[in-house]
Amino acid sequence: MPVLEILRQLSGEIPSDAWFTRFAIVDGKGDAEGYADSASALIPLLAASPLLGDVSFLSPITKDKDGKEKFRIGFTVK
């Protein structure tokens, strides 16, 4: 499945207060970085996607000056 198709489907599943600043898939493994009001809420949403597996944080959540949580999430493509 093309990366753009995966990104399009995921963008419909994440809340409107969350966005990706970087999204990459290489050899079936993905990495997404971005911001959200609640980054921890993204894990169950992404894990519920039929496209992804092994969803987990790759780094600790940090907050920016506006209070948004910066995240980095890894996953595999099914």
Side-chain angles (χ1 to χ4, degrees), residues 10-19 35-38 41-42 45-46:
L10 293 180
S11 67
E13 296 174 12
I14 63 171
S16 60
D17 64 17
W19 63 91
Y35 294 88
D37 283 348
S38 175
L42 296 176
L45 290 174
L46 296 176

Side-chain angles (χ1 to χ4, degrees), residues 48-68:
S49 171
L51 304 174
L52 307 181
D54 302 320
V55 178
S56 63
F57 286 111
L58 296 177
S59 64
I61 297 169
T62 58
K63 285 198 176 193
D64 70 5
K65 63 181 178 178
D66 298 321
K68 291 286 188 184

